[in-house]
Amino acid sequence: MHELLRSEYDLDIREVLDHVQSYPTRSVFRVATSDGTVAVKVDRQPPPREAVGSEAVHHDVALRLPEHLPRLRPTTSGSFAVHRPGLRVTVSEDIPGGPPPDTVETWAALGSILARLHALTPVSRPFAIPVHAAIEELATQSAAYGFGAEFRALLPRAADIDVGATATIHGEVNLSNCLARADGTIVLIDWDQAGYGRTALDLGYPLVCVFLTEDLDWRSPMAAAFYKAYQKHRPLPDAEQILAAALFHAMRYMWFHNVDRRWRRVQHAAMNRAALMSVLSPAQTSR
């Protein structure tokens, strides 16, 4: 990393301050350099397919919402990512604070930020997770894990995300992908999947994956604050589309951890759709 930062960014490392994130395919470091502290993200073995090209989306949105995204540092050649065999490196502004508090106020702020993101002229890069290809993969995974007819019956509902508004979307708004500046302003990080897609995909992600916990605790105050704040700036897409997107994300994320508990959460969401949809506009819950 020392030589790469020197040759590509004209930065000398003074000290590695923190190893912020560590996965087999990704590491994120806070690094003190000759030009101040930066965040260095290293994707490897090989870099995730969906990450390639995401730096262009990140840079484009950061120019228009600078308070809510960390600035990417360009290389000496003007690009925003360095690609080597089995390696992708990006360097960005350091946001030293941790995630914002998990409060109604934070989720209201995130609803407003998402509405501002969706109001921007869309980027040209498509959202990195193609819905119908992901649904086909889910069908294959369900057979491998022994999930039966009930799981397969939900797949068409989760796939029904093909109408409604489109915009630049982040794809995974949760507090793990947020930092807070010193003044409390929320910054969205991890733009690897971001691109042009259905706004329901952005709005559906937290409905089940965040607001309905794996212990089946329905966090309706946070959910209501998030969607109400969004609606102050933009109308919500059709509620059925948001629910379909919520199931899509929840079924995709089943396989990463606590599979049985996450499957129970999906089942609970499908059986209690009225409670979930109650946080959306009353005019949209009549269908």
Side-chain angles (χ1 to χ4, degrees):
M1 183 168 65
H2 288 67
E3 177 54 36
L4 186 146
L5 290 185
R6 183 179 297 110
S7 63
E8 299 288 346
Y9 290 94
D10 195 23
L11 294 173
D12 288 315
I13 292 180
R14 305 293 194 223
E15 182 183 1
V16 177
L17 300 173
D18 195 8
H19 195 169
V20 178
Q21 192 179 85
S22 181
Y23 295 111
T25 59
R26 172 181 295 176
S27 292
V28 179
F29 306 89
R30 291 185 64 237
V31 179
T33 76
S34 51
D35 194 31
T37 303
V38 297
V40 180
K41 182 165 73 172
V42 181
D43 292 305
R44 60 173 79 85
Q45 300 178 356
R49 173 191 54 78
E50 65 266 21
V52 177
S54 63
E55 67 274 3
V57 177
H58 183 148
H59 176 62
D60 181 276
V61 177
L63 289 176
R64 294 183 284 170
L65 294 178
E67 69 274 31
H68 295 303
L69 275 77
R71 297 183 307 276
L72 283 175
R73 185 183 182 102
T75 66
T76 54
S77 63
S79 62
F80 289 97
V82 175
H83 295 272
R84 299 279 176 83
L87 195 70
R88 172 181 178 266
V89 176
T90 55
V91 176
S92 65
E93 170 192 7
D94 176 50
I95 311 293
D102 188 8
T103 62
V104 166
E105 292 75 18
T106 291
W107 282 104
L110 282 168
S112 296
I113 293 168
L114 212 57
R116 291 183 62 191
L117 172 65
H118 293 171
L120 300 177
T121 302
V123 298
S124 59
R125 178 185 191 252
F127 182 56
I129 308 299
V131 172
H132 290 284
I135 291 292
E136 291 177 7
E137 184 178 357
L138 282 172
T140 301
Q141 288 172 321
S142 68
Y145 277 86
F147 285 84
E150 185 180 0
F151 185 95
R152 291 192 297 273
L154 285 176
L155 288 177
R157 291 179 61 184
D160 189 21
I161 317 168
D162 54 6
V163 298
T166 53
T168 299
I169 61 175
H170 178 278
E172 194 175 314
V173 173
N174 60 50
L175 297 191
S176 296
N177 287 333
C178 295
L179 295 171
R181 297 188 186 275
D183 65 359
T185 301
I186 295 175
V187 176
L188 274 174
I189 60 174
D190 197 355
W191 288 80
D192 284 357
Q193 297 177 359
Y196 179 82
R198 300 291 178 187
T199 58
L201 286 164
D202 250 358
L203 292 158
Y205 174 84
L207 184 62
V208 173
C209 289
V210 176
F211 301 134
L212 181 61
T213 72
E214 291 179 25
D215 294 324
L216 307 185
D217 179 24
W218 172 229
R219 305 168 72 229
S220 60
M222 277 75 166
F226 175 75
Y227 294 111
K228 182 178 180 180
Y230 185 95
Q231 289 180 91
K232 286 181 179 179
H233 305 280
R234 292 178 66 81
L236 285 172
D238 184 89
E240 294 288 352
Q241 293 284 304
I242 296 175
L243 183 57
L247 291 173
F248 170 73
H249 287 298
M251 294 171 83
R252 281 190 62 238
Y253 281 90
M254 275 176 52
W255 316 107
F256 297 119
H257 189 60
N258 291 337
V259 175
D260 289 336
R261 291 177 67 190
R262 291 185 177 187
W263 170 229
R264 285 195 293 272
R265 179 169 65 178
V266 169
Q267 292 173 302
H268 185 86
M271 290 186 295
N272 293 274
R273 62 189 301 277
L276 272 63
M277 296 175 75
S278 69
V279 298
L280 306 176
S281 167
Q284 300 208 33
T285 59
S286 60
R287 287 185 53 180

